[in-house]
Amino acid sequence: MDDQTVRLRQKYRQFRVLVMGKANAGKTTILQKVCNTTDQPVIYNGQGEKINLSAIAPSRERGEHNIENEMIFKANSRYVFHDSRGFECGSIEEFKIVQDFIEQRGKATKSSKQLHAIWYCLPADNASRLLTGAEARFFQECDPGAVPVIAIYTKFDDFVLQTQQFLTSQGWDEDDAFDEASRSALNCFTEKYAKVVNTTRFPPKRDDLSFTSYTDMDKTGAKCDELLEKTADALGGDALRQLFVCIQRNNLDLWTKWAVKR
């Protein structure tokens, strides 16, 4: 480990991510894959005290949720995740909470409090309603400032299946329809639906860093390398980018690609 890496780790103990999206958007699965674990995260409140979720009745869990709560997976405690759960209800109050959190954490001078990235999970299984309610309001009204937003299209395998079903309804053989759907679904989704997100007032990072899509994330061995690469590329400044690469465990590919880019 070189001197610069040691200094970075001393200054930036953890990498902080705000995770956004509907309750069924596949957020937890993505975070588990990023941290290479199947365990649930440990939750801490804003004072660093562990929250015992088993003592919270399911009907009260949403009311107990706070965006300041920190989710940390033991498999990689260098990540700190915040969940915007509740934002999808679309209320003015919830929108203001998220907006204030992004603004305050994005401008925080204390490195341990800074927000470094936003991952917005958008389920692709209902592509025609990709941006509705809270999602549309976020990309139209919430200025993330210098904090990069990466759009993650989850449940993309459902979109592939829907494409196959459409082709089959047009007379295609089922196997041929599947092969064609697997080949063309991403381009179709990008041109017809994903571009809607990029025409908003505050879109995710533009160009080829705009988004990443995922299929079969529930399967053993599934990885999020593309998300990690795009997050690293979207970060401002080599120091923060190097920190992000440093906290990846068991990911030699990302180390190698970053070294080549440098």
Side-chain angles (χ1 to χ4, degrees):
M1 188 181 299
D2 59 35
D3 291 340
Q4 183 180 10
T5 301
V6 172
R7 289 194 299 271
L8 279 171
R9 288 195 170 187
Q10 290 174 341
K11 181 179 180 181
Y12 297 101
R13 297 291 182 180
Q14 294 170 309
F15 189 87
R16 193 175 299 273
V17 181
L18 172 61
V19 186
M20 303 191 66
K22 295 185 175 75
N24 64 344
K27 293 179 291 184
T28 300
T29 301
I30 292 288
L31 301 188
Q32 288 173 325
K33 296 303 180 181
V34 165
C35 294
N36 193 29
T37 184
T38 58
D39 295 336
Q40 293 297 311
V42 179
I43 311 294
Y44 299 90
N45 62 22
Q47 290 71 49
E49 301 166 336
K50 185 177 178 180
I51 298 176
N52 184 7
L53 293 182
S54 63
I56 301 175
S59 60
R60 294 179 53 220
E61 187 174 349
R62 179 171 296 277
E64 295 288 339
H65 177 74
N66 189 318
I67 195 172
E68 295 289 344
N69 290 348
E70 299 180 347
M71 299 187 296
I72 298 177
F73 291 88
K74 291 182 179 180
N76 192 343
S77 60
R78 301 298 298 278
Y79 274 111
V80 177
F81 298 110
H82 294 266
D83 189 353
S84 68
R85 186 175 55 183
F87 177 73
E88 69 266 21
C89 73
S91 72
I92 295 176
E93 180 184 2
E94 290 291 349
F95 180 80
K96 187 69 164 56
I97 289 172
V98 171
Q99 197 172 36
D100 289 347
F101 179 85
I102 294 172
E103 181 177 0
Q104 293 168 11
R105 292 292 187 135
K107 295 179 179 178
T109 55
K110 193 174 181 180
S111 58
S112 62
K113 297 295 184 181
Q114 290 174 357
L115 177 64
H116 300 123
I118 299 170
W119 291 346
Y120 207 124
C121 295
L122 297 166
D125 58 340
N126 193 357
S128 62
R129 294 180 56 82
L130 194 63
L131 284 187
T132 59
E135 295 88 354
R137 186 171 189 183
F138 176 83
F139 289 108
Q140 290 289 5
E141 300 181 30
C142 190
D143 183 358
V147 182
V149 179
I150 306 299
I152 308 170
Y153 295 112
T154 59
K155 301 187 177 182
F156 195 76
D157 41 353
D158 286 343
F159 183 77
V160 174
L161 178 60
Q162 291 165 16
T163 304
Q164 178 195 13
Q165 291 172 340
F166 171 76
L167 293 174
T168 302
S169 71
Q170 300 298 303
W172 284 61
D173 172 78
E174 187 172 340
D175 291 338
D176 291 341
F178 178 77
D179 291 340
E180 174 62 18
S182 301
R183 183 189 66 79
S184 63
L186 182 58
N187 184 60
C188 174
F189 185 84
T190 303
E191 291 299 317
K192 191 172 182 180
Y193 301 107
K195 71 176 183 181
V196 174
V197 183
N198 285 334
T199 59
T200 56
R201 185 181 178 193
F202 300 110
K205 285 295 179 181
R206 302 300 291 269
D207 62 49
D208 61 339
L209 306 179
S210 296
F211 69 90
T212 184
S213 60
Y214 285 102
T215 60
D216 300 325
M217 289 308 295
D218 56 334
K219 292 185 177 179
T220 302
K223 296 182 179 181
C224 291
D225 290 359
E226 187 179 8
L227 170 60
L228 300 181
E229 277 188 63
K230 291 184 176 183
T231 300
D233 286 337
L235 294 171
D238 280 357
L240 188 56
R241 195 174 292 121
Q242 186 174 349
L243 160 73
F244 180 70
V245 175
C246 283
I247 70 171
Q248 311 309 321
R249 294 181 176 178
N250 304 318
N251 197 329
L252 295 178
D253 287 344
L254 187 63
W255 271 97
T256 302
K257 289 178 181 178
W258 171 234
V260 170
K261 288 184 178 181
R262 293 196 66 193

